[in-house]
Amino acid sequence: MKKLMLLIIFFVCYNVMAQTEQPRIIVFKLLDTSAKPIENSSKPKSNNATFNNFLQKFKIEKYEQLCSYSKEPELLKYYYITTYSKADVISALTNMPKIVSDIDEKSEPISTFVPSDYMYYLTTQNPNTESWLWHLKKIDAEKAWDITKGEGTKVAVVDTWFDVNHPDLKTKFIYDYDPKTKVSFRNQKKIAELSHGTETSGSVGAQTNGGGQLASIGFNTKLIGYEWTNGVNKAHHASLVENVDVISISWYHRDNSISDEEKREIKEILDNGTIIVAAAGNYLESGQANKPFAPFSPLIDDRIICVTSTDYQDRHQYFDSDGSEKTHAHYPSVTICAPGYNIMVAMPTINADGTENEWPYYGFARGTSSAAPIVAGVCALMKSVNPKLTPKEAKKILMQTADPVADAAKFPNGVGAGRVNAYKAVKAAGTRDFTNSTLSGNRNLSAGYGFNLKNAKIGANSNIKLTARCEVNIDGTFEVPLGSEFSIEIDESARSN
């Protein structure tokens, strides 16, 4: 892990919502195929006269199929429009019941990030370089990296905006634009105004071995950024088109709503094998309700991983320097905890006035927006050692391998299974268990970590080869009959990835 220089920085409070006007996005199910958009038209058009009048009257900027890449027939019926019109577009659509149904205007997301004062952190923690990245030590990151560094995995971060020039991120983003809309992330004003995405993506996969000053649990994991407008659809694109392994979500809908179309998209994401990790909310920190938030909640699909925060002493309860309680959300559908109080995060390289920010580009933050990306990075490492790992299996392993939360008794059934342990989770994800099993035939088996062979045996006339990154545990009885072959190879070279 890289050494970090001791820096003195300000962490500036800001409004994470866009400062420039954003178009309205309205999704609906199209019932009349004559109203489908005409392809390659210079402006939105259809072959339906009534719908064409609507498109012109409300100055519709864009009219497209929502999920053209979906494998689910029902999702292929959904379309969306964008407009800057302040008029009652919803009523106009509602008055065309034979053409459209299931009308849903996408609400503006709310982040689950809260900046914290760096000087307070400096005076209450041991101010040496190791303390800056205390959360990586806490979750046993270095031992997890001895197994894998996440090579070949991709995490989609759906968020505000991304500083693709940041020294810890410039080699980590696969694209410098949103692959769904093709909008470039090189808009300097937005880099400064909408820094939340820079912070969360750095927590997932900041450069960890040269190139910057940060480090992240994801290590060699690659990133794909999506601007969060119509965020469920962006996540759907990430899974179905970009085939990402994990999606990191650190926001919720302003009106805490979810449509049937969004539920279908979320189900298809998870059915496609993509893991979803979402922030639980900040509760007392931000004055938010202490309850699950839509759209990404285990109450929508129990395969979603919901994350709340712990501090450097593994406590969930948190008090600010003035004695006020700032404890983050805790409720029955929380899956797990991760460090989320005073976490070192990436900061923009551009100031709000467009000038270049002075180095260093780092600060400290509080929020489940910090905790969720850490778990997303752990999930990327888990997928690295077990590419076939399903969202349900990943969630189960995270819970089974978690470390205790010190004050969990204060929050019964509220902080999930415990605090994430990256090493234990990666080891479990990469271990193939053949307890009480017979291995037969001619087989070359590989494991991202190792094998458990307890009371196992090799079948007659079989040739079995096991290749593991770290270990093969043989316990109890183990039988290899005459005429069969059994061999073990430890591939240490795979650990560098």
Side-chain angles (χ1 to χ4, degrees), residues 258-275:
I258 183 167
S259 66
D260 287 341
E261 155 258 318
E262 288 173 325
K263 290 178 182 178
R264 289 178 182 275
E265 288 184 273
I266 289 172
K267 181 179 185 301
E268 190 170 21
I269 291 168
L270 294 161
D271 288 348
N272 195 44
T274 306
I275 299 167

Side-chain angles (χ1 to χ4, degrees), residues 141-161:
E142 292 175 5
K143 291 166 89 174
W145 295 334
D146 284 341
I147 302 171
T148 178
K149 295 180 176 65
E151 191 72 30
T153 58
K154 297 185 289 187
V155 176
V157 183
V158 183
D159 217 295
T160 54
W161 207 256

